[in-house]
């Protein structure tokens, strides 16, 4: 990885520009006047008689004075323009005015993603293992052995903590390698080490999953997709040319796009995929055509693949031949092609006339990025981007104290409703495709502020060589748009005290098929950390047939926006003052109490209810039951007031109902049963889902509910919180063309609760304090002098008249 620091431009650039512009405007005019005067003088001298000499001399004298005056005016104009431009601030210096509060620590590299060189060394090492017979060709057939994935293998937590705390040597750097053995009919996971030049490998499949991984649990690769597309062309399109042309305007130069249903079947071992077809236009996901095909590709030999069923305009057919014959005989209700405007296009209808508000750093950036380590005011943390699970941060510290060992995305899951087969049983589990795999370049000024810092990442998943994704992570400090805290004192001791809510945002955006997920980790000056997600992109849609409106709303001509859920799982490994923590809950209840001064009168008064949960089953808080409002990972240490120091998990969610546990495929997403589940940390319980959940959904390699079944003690243990958030999405016409992020998301906020003796932000230099008579003082209010800052854009002078309206207890 690298950090893409942007250096500020030279302050002299606009000055030189104005000078050159002024000269280019004035000098040509001077040059034009002088030749004209000379020519005119020459003509007069040759034509006029001698008595006109005095007149000629007078005219020459006037021309000279005119020229002198013109030059003087030009010089004055240049001086004025130079003055105007030099007094105008141009671009803020990239130099930091205030020093960083901490120092970068290279020990963060223990969490660093693999480098390009490491990927290449691992690939070469695996290919040289002759007994494995591995291919790295992107179009490798399912019947061959394919090196699918290389990713960082995280060391054991205890080893890392000992290293970070200076008590042990750096753990050996390792990688996980996933190989699809088509020839043998199974999948293997290996750990290879040491990096960057591996010399050892170990099969860890059974150790990690307690089971063999069947080949049909594999992700569909690029090579398999290529064979499926060929099957559609040879077996379907070429045998339905008349139907394809009349119904969908398909020709040699115009085709349809495919979008697949998951899971691939209804029972373990199935690999039968319903594929829906869409118009070949931008935003195809909301242009369904009413044609779907069920293909059986269970065999690793593509010659055994076959079309098992077709759906055309709501009617099922056993094979291509039956559909063709019934279409030609006119015994089916035909779809007649109709040219439609592309209502899915995201091209603006109006030209942009004005740029909106922009972020700028008046005194340089207050954060720093080095390798995979970030410093921001009192915060420091390491970061990475897993190809499978996506964004993650480690060793999160505030004021030097570790708050969390790991905060990471785990899974994104959706369950759809429909009457058509392409969506009727669809359940997407995105980590099986790769959440981080689809983190592409972020657009400056749109996905992130223009002046954000950008970081490149490398990935190796379903590719012949590591791929560089430029600017796929961004970091920026952001004014969150509301004060972090404030108070205007009206009654007594008139004053104003407040603080702008500046926070650091760590972001990536993943575009997985139709949906785009914006992942944010936000670090606040109050000591809080927020992990949240917003969804945008395109809804998945199906062709409108009878009964469709039970499963959504019509959003375009013959288009149904299908109802679906979004469940997002985060891993929150909090270490509150160490790894010996407990899980507490707090809530309220009304108690009928006698009034002390009127014993015969009673009132319902809210009372604090506190509990400490002792086992994993107790701490598995289901969505379908009422759970306490305050959830805490607490230490045994107390603050100065005697309360246990803790961090609170505050979940923001609007999830739909979870899939009933009676369903065979629910085990692969059993983490979604729980709003929050607390487990004892185990290195072999690294993730809540797996690469193999989607395609072997009925016998998942990772069943999260088993993490809880052993019901271990969670008192004074190293605890991990698994947090599920999300929202129910009932698509509507405003989802055309694109779903907006507003209101479509969820997250979890980690808030200090009795962890400090007071709000730590009270010590921030961002605080503002105003007293009557000192409204324009800069001493405790830098805003008052912002307009005078040579680096600021043109701003109105700071004024404050708030004390004019205070309540007065006098005439």
């Amino acid at each position: 990885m690298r950090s893409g620091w942007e250096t500020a431009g030279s302050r002299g650039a606009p000055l030189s520009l104005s000078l050159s512009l002024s000269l280019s405007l004035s000098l040509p005019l001077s040059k034009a006047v002088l030749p004209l005067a000379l020519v005119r003088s020459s003509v007069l001298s040759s034509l006029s008689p001698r008595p006109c000499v005095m007149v000629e001399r007078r005219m020459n004298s006037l021309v000279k004075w005119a020229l002198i005056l013109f030059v003087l005016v030009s010089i004055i104009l240049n001086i004025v323009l130079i003055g105007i431009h030099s007094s105008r601030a141009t671009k803020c210096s990239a130099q930091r005015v205030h020093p960083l509060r901490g120092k970068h620590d290279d020990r963060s590299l223990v969490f660093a993603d693999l480098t390009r060189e490491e990927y290449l060394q691992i690939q070469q090492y695996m290919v040289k293992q002759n007994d494995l017979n591995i291919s790295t060709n992107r179009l490798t057939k399912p019947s061959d052995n394919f090196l699918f994935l290389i990713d960082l293998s995280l060391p054991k937590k205890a080893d890392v903590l000992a290293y970070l705390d200076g008590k042990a040597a750096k753990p050996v750097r390792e990688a996980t390698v996933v190989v699809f053995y088509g020839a043998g009919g199974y999948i293997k996971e290996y750990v290879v080490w040491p990096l960057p030049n591996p010399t050892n490998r170990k099969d860890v499949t059974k150790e990690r999953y307690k089971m063999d991984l069947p080949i049909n649990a594999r992700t569909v690769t690029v090579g398999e997709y290529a064979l499926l597309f060929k099957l559609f062309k040879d077996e379907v399109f070429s045998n339905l040319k008349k139907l394809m042309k009349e119904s969908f305007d398909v020709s040699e130069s115009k085709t349809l796009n495919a979008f697949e249903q998951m899971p691939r079947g209804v029972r373990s071992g199935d690999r039968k995929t319903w594929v829906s077809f869409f118009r070949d236009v931008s935003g195809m996901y909301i242009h369904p055509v009413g044609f779907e095909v069920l293909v059986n590709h269970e065999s690793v030999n593509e010659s055994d693949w076959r079309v098992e069923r077709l759906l055309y305009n709501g009617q099922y057919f056993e094979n291509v031949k039956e559909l063709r014959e019934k279409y030609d005989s006119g015994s089916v209700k035909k779809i007649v092609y109709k040219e439609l405007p592309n209502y899915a296009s995201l091209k603006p209808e109006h030209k942009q006339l004005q740029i909106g508000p922009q972020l700028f750093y008046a005194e340089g950036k207050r954060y720093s990025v080095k390798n995979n380590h970030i410093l921001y005011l009192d915060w420091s943390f390491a970061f990475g981007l897993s190809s499978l699970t996506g964004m993650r941060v480690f060793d999160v510290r505030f004021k030097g104290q570790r708050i969390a060992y790991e905060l990471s995305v785990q899974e994104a899951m959706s369950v759809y409703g429909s009457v058509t087969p392409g969506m009727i049983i669809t359940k997407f589990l995105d980590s099986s495709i790769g959440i981080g795999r689809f983190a592409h370049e972020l657009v400056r000024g749109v996905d992130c502020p223009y002046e954000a810092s950008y970081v490149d990442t490398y990935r190796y998943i379903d590719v012949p060589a590591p791929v560089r994704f430029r600017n796929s992570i961004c970091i920026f400090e952001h004014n969150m748009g509301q004060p972090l805290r404030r108070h205007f004192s009206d009654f007594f001791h008139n004053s104003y005290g407040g603080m702008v809510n500046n926070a650091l945002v760590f972001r990536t955006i993943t575009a997985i098929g139709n949906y785009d997920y914006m992942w944010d980790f936000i670090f606040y000056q109050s000591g809080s950390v927020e992990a949240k997600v917003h969804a945008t992109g395109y809804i998945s849609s199906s062709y409108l047939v009878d009964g469709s409106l039970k499963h959504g709303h019509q959003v375009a001509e013959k288009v149904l926006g299908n109802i679906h859920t979004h469940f997002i799982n985060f891993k929150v490994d909090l270490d509150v003052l160490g790894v010996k923590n407990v899980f507490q809950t707090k809530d309220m209840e009304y108690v009928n109490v006698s009034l002390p001064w009127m014993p015969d009168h009673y009132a319902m008064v809210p009372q604090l209810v506190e509990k400490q949960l002792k086992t994993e089953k107790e701490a598995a808080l289901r969505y379908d039951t009422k759970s306490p409002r305050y959830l805490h990972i607490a230490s045994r240490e107390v603050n100065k007031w005697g309360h246990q120091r803790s961090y609170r998990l505050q979940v923001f969610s609007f999830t739909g109902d979870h899939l009933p546990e009676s369903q065979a495929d629910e085990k692969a997403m059993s983490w979604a049963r729980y709003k929050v589940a607390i487990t004892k940390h185990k290195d072999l319980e690294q993730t809540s889902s797996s690469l193999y959940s989607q395609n072997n959904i009925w016998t998942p390699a990772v069943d999260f509910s088993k993490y809880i079944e052993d019901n271990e003690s969670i008192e004074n243990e190293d605890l991990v919180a698994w947090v599920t958030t999300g929202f129910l999405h009932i698509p509507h016409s405003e989802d055309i063309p694109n779903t907006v992020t507003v209101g479509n998301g969820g997250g979890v906020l980690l808030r200090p609760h009795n962890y400090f003796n007071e709000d730590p932000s009270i010590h921030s230099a961002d605080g503002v304090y105003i007293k009557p008579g000192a409204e324009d003082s800069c001493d405790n209010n830098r805003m008052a002098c912002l307009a005078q800052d040579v680096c600021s854009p043109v701003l109105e002078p700071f004024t404050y008249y708030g004390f004019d309206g205070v309540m007065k207890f006098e005439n």
Side-chain angles (χ1 to χ4, degrees):
M1 292 188 178
R2 66 164 179 87
S3 59
W5 289 98
E6 295 298 318
T7 57
S10 168
R11 295 193 180 201
L15 177 63
S16 62
L17 177 64
S18 71
L19 182 60
S20 64
L21 281 172
S22 301
L23 290 175
S24 67
L25 287 172
S26 59
L27 289 178
L29 288 173
S30 302
K31 290 177 181 178
V33 170
L34 187 58
L36 179 61
L38 291 173
V39 169
R40 189 174 177 191
S41 174
S42 174
V43 170
L44 286 171
S45 127
S46 62
L47 294 178
S48 301
R50 299 285 296 176
C52 296
V53 171
M54 293 300 294
V55 174
E56 180 184 342
R57 287 176 179 171
R58 283 199 195 103
M59 290 183 67
N60 285 338
S61 180
L62 287 172
V63 169
K64 288 178 183 178
W65 282 109
L67 282 172
I68 292 169
L69 184 61
F70 187 86
V71 170
L72 287 173
V73 170
S74 296
I75 291 170
I76 292 169
L77 284 173
N78 274 290
I79 291 171
V80 170
L81 287 170
I82 289 168
I84 290 171
H85 284 277
S86 62
S87 65
R88 210 177 270 173
T90 58
K91 195 170 184 181
C92 295
S93 171
Q95 298 300 315
R96 187 176 293 105
V97 173
H98 305 288
L100 294 169
R101 297 182 189 174
K103 293 183 178 180
H104 284 292
D105 191 339
D106 286 344
R107 283 178 290 188
S108 67
L109 292 172
V110 73
F111 303 110
D113 294 339
L114 300 176
T115 65
R116 180 179 182 275
E117 290 70 26
E118 287 175 324
Y119 279 125
L120 291 172
Q121 290 290 342
I122 295 163
Q123 182 193 50
Q124 291 170 15
Y125 169 77
M126 293 299 292
V127 170
K128 287 178 181 177
Q129 307 302 300
N130 294 328
D131 58 316
L132 302 182
N133 191 25
I134 293 173
S135 168
T136 59
N137 188 328
R138 195 167 195 177
L139 295 180
T140 297
K141 293 184 177 182
S143 56
D144 294 329
N145 302 337
F146 179 56
L147 199 166
F148 177 72
L149 170 73
I150 302 174
D151 208 357
L152 176 70
S153 184
L154 290 169
K156 292 181 179 179
K157 180 178 178 180
D159 295 342
V160 176
L161 288 178
Y163 169 64
L164 293 176
D165 296 339
K167 299 175 182 177
K170 183 179 181 179
V172 175
R173 189 159 166 81
E174 301 175 336
T176 292
V177 179
V178 175
V179 181
F180 296 162
Y181 287 98
Y186 53 83
I187 300 169
K188 290 289 186 183
E189 284 196 7
Y190 299 94
V191 167
V192 300
W193 79 94
L195 303 184
N197 301 302
T199 56
N200 301 282
R201 78 172 198 259
K202 178 184 178 183
D203 180 353
V204 293
T205 313
K206 278 283 187 71
E207 177 186 345
R208 289 181 175 179
Y209 303 111
K210 309 296 187 294
M211 62 184 289
D212 292 321
L213 297 173
I215 192 63
N216 277 359
R218 74 189 185 279
T219 301
V220 175
T221 63
V222 170
E224 188 172 359
Y225 278 123
L227 293 171
L228 285 170
F229 295 153
K230 185 176 185 299
L231 174 72
F232 295 139
K233 181 180 179 181
D234 295 346
E235 302 294 328
V236 179
F237 295 161
S238 62
N239 291 315
L240 293 171
K241 288 185 177 179
K242 181 181 177 183
L243 179 152
M244 288 289 147
K245 179 61 179 175
E246 293 178 352
S247 296
F248 313 126
D249 196 32
V250 171
S251 63
E252 289 296 324
S253 60
K254 193 174 181 181
T255 186
L256 296 176
N257 288 336
F259 189 59
E260 59 196 319
Q261 156 261 318
M262 302 177 200
R264 305 177 190 282
V266 295
R267 62 182 68 86
S268 191
D270 277 357
R271 201 170 179 85
K272 302 178 180 181
T273 304
W274 274 103
V275 177
S276 303
F277 289 91
F278 295 76
R279 295 194 183 199
D280 184 21
V281 295
S282 174
M284 68 162 205
Y285 305 103
I286 49 178
H287 282 282
V289 298
F291 182 58
E292 303 180 15
V293 175
L294 176 63
V295 59
N296 183 331
H297 52 126
E298 289 176 0
S299 173
V300 294
N301 188 342
E302 71 273 14
S303 63
D304 297 329
W305 296 356
R306 61 191 180 276
V307 173
E308 290 195 345
R309 200 69 59 90
L310 301 96
L311 178 76
Y312 172 82
N313 203 15
Q315 185 175 343
Y316 289 92
F317 302 88
E318 293 293 328
N319 50 54
V320 174
K321 181 181 178 183
E322 181 191 0
L323 172 57
R324 184 179 65 242
E325 290 175 350
K326 289 187 176 180
Y327 183 88
D328 291 343
S329 67
S331 57
V332 299
K333 185 179 180 181
K334 296 183 178 181
I335 298 172
V336 179
Y337 176 76
K338 179 181 178 182
E339 189 71 37
L340 293 171
N342 186 7
Y343 47 82
S345 174
L346 297 183
K347 184 177 180 180
E349 295 184 4
H350 303 285
K351 185 178 180 180
Q352 190 177 40
L353 299 177
Q354 187 175 2
I355 295 176
Q358 297 295 305
L359 172 72
F360 79 101
Y361 297 97
E363 297 178 328
K365 294 173 179 175
R366 302 197 296 183
Y367 64 88
S368 175
V369 185
K370 180 183 177 184
N371 298 320
N372 70 321
H373 192 243
I374 294 177
L375 295 172
Y376 168 63
L377 300 179
D378 290 316
W379 289 102
S380 69
F381 58 92
F383 66 88
L385 184 70
S386 164
S387 294
L388 298 182
T389 59
M391 198 163 75
R392 53 194 185 183
V393 295
F394 299 95
D395 194 25
V396 179
R397 302 186 187 214
F398 186 75
K399 293 183 179 293
Q401 185 74 55
R402 184 178 297 116
I403 301 297
Y405 177 76
E406 178 184 353
L407 177 59
S408 58
V409 180
Q410 291 293 299
E411 185 61 282
M413 179 266 286
S414 295
V415 177
Y416 280 80
S418 180
V419 295
T420 55
M423 291 229 152
I424 196 169
I425 59 171
T426 285
K427 301 164 189 71
F428 291 127
L429 293 164
D430 289 342
S431 72
S432 297
I433 307 168
I435 298 174
R437 173 186 184 179
F438 297 103
H440 295 278
E441 181 166 9
L442 300 165
V443 176
R444 286 183 181 272
V446 183
D447 294 330
C448 306
Y450 199 91
E451 288 296 314
S453 298
Y454 293 85
V455 177
D456 296 351
T457 58
Y458 284 90
R459 274 158 258 159
Y460 189 112
I461 177 170
D462 200 8
V463 290
V467 178
R468 179 186 181 184
F469 291 80
R470 295 177 184 271
N471 300 338
S472 47
I473 292 173
C474 73
I475 305 105
F476 56 95
E477 186 179 7
H478 184 50
N479 182 330
M480 305 304 287
Q482 74 285 320
L484 180 64
R485 50 177 171 76
R486 60 98 69 192
H487 177 65
F488 179 82
S489 184
D490 190 339
F491 292 166
F492 307 105
H493 302 287
N494 301 146
S495 64
Y496 168 87
M499 179 177 163
V500 63
N501 189 9
N502 291 322
L504 187 80
V505 180
F506 178 76
R507 172 178 295 170
T508 193
I509 302 178
T510 56
I512 309 170
N514 58 303
Y515 261 109
D516 296 56
Y517 291 104
M518 183 172 75
W519 308 96
D520 282 345
F521 292 160
I522 306 174
F523 298 83
Y524 296 95
Q525 294 188 60
S526 60
S528 297
V529 186
E530 186 174 11
K532 67 179 182 180
V533 61
H534 286 94
T536 176
Y538 289 101
I539 58 171
S540 282
S541 67
S542 57
Y543 194 73
L544 195 68
V545 297
D546 290 343
S548 288
L549 293 178
K550 295 177 182 178
H551 302 283
H553 293 144
Q554 182 173 353
V555 293
E557 186 170 341
K558 300 296 286 184
V559 179
L560 178 80
N562 298 80
I563 188 172
H564 58 280
T565 62
H566 286 275
F567 284 87
I568 308 294
N569 192 240
F570 291 101
K571 180 181 181 181
V572 182
D573 185 351
L574 284 170
D575 288 349
V576 182
L577 300 170
V579 295
K580 299 297 183 183
N581 294 153
V582 295
F583 182 56
Q584 297 175 332
T585 67
K586 299 181 184 181
D587 213 324
M588 60 167 284
E589 66 178 8
Y590 281 100
V591 179
N592 197 20
V593 298
S594 171
L595 299 180
W597 66 95
M598 298 177 66
D600 56 337
H601 281 72
Y602 290 80
M604 296 296 288
V605 179
Q607 181 174 293
L608 174 64
V609 179
E610 297 180 286
K611 292 182 181 178
Q612 183 169 304
L613 306 187
K614 298 180 179 181
T615 66
E616 290 177 328
K617 285 188 177 180
E618 273 189 272
L621 308 178
R622 291 176 175 265
Y623 258 109
D624 56 1
T625 59
K626 183 180 178 181
S627 59
R629 295 172 178 86
Y630 277 61
L631 311 173
H632 301 264
I633 303 293
S635 73
R636 284 298 186 185
E637 292 189 27
V638 296
N639 67 4
K640 68 185 294 185
W641 315 116
H643 300 295
Q644 283 178 253
R645 299 174 67 184
S646 72
Y647 258 76
R648 176 189 173 194
L649 303 164
Q650 188 171 352
V651 183
F652 301 95
S653 184
F654 180 61
T655 57
D657 293 336
H658 178 53
L659 189 70
E661 293 173 38
S662 59
Q663 297 300 293
D665 45 7
E666 189 274 342
K667 287 182 180 179
M669 56 194 78
S670 57
W671 49 267
R673 300 173 188 173
Y674 312 102
K675 181 177 184 178
V676 173
I678 307 295
T679 64
K680 179 181 176 181
H681 176 272
K682 293 180 181 177
D683 289 307
L684 287 176
E685 294 180 354
Q686 179 63 34
T687 58
S688 60
S689 189
S690 83
L691 172 62
Y692 317 104
S693 294
Q694 182 75 81
N695 294 298
N696 194 21
I697 200 169
W698 310 275
T699 313
V702 172
D703 177 355
F704 177 79
S705 65
K706 291 182 179 179
Y707 292 5
I708 298 168
E709 278 182 5
D710 56 9
N711 201 29
E712 291 187 277
S713 169
I714 55 170
E715 289 191 292
N716 299 312
E717 298 288 353
D718 186 359
L719 303 184
V720 178
W722 307 85
V723 179
T724 300
T725 183
F727 63 99
L728 171 66
H729 193 175
I730 302 174
H732 45 90
S733 56
E734 290 81 8
D735 284 312
I736 305 298
N738 218 208
T739 294
V740 299
T741 56
V742 178
N744 292 322
V748 57
L749 185 63
L750 313 178
R751 299 177 59 185
H753 188 92
N754 289 324
Y755 185 88
F756 302 103
N757 294 324
E758 61 185 355
D759 172 23
S761 76
I762 197 66
H763 303 290
S764 170
D766 287 351
V768 168
Y769 187 74
I770 306 173
K771 288 286 288 182
E775 289 86 351
D776 58 354
S777 171
C778 304
D779 291 344
N780 294 301
N781 178 20
R782 293 199 55 147
M783 296 294 116
C785 299
L786 188 61
Q788 302 167 22
D789 195 310
V790 294
C791 177
S792 300
V794 179
L795 298 174
E796 292 293 325
F798 179 87
T799 57
Y800 187 73
Y801 304 103
F803 301 120
D804 290 353
V806 297
M807 186 175 291
K808 296 180 175 63
F809 299 97
E810 57 187 24
N811 289 327

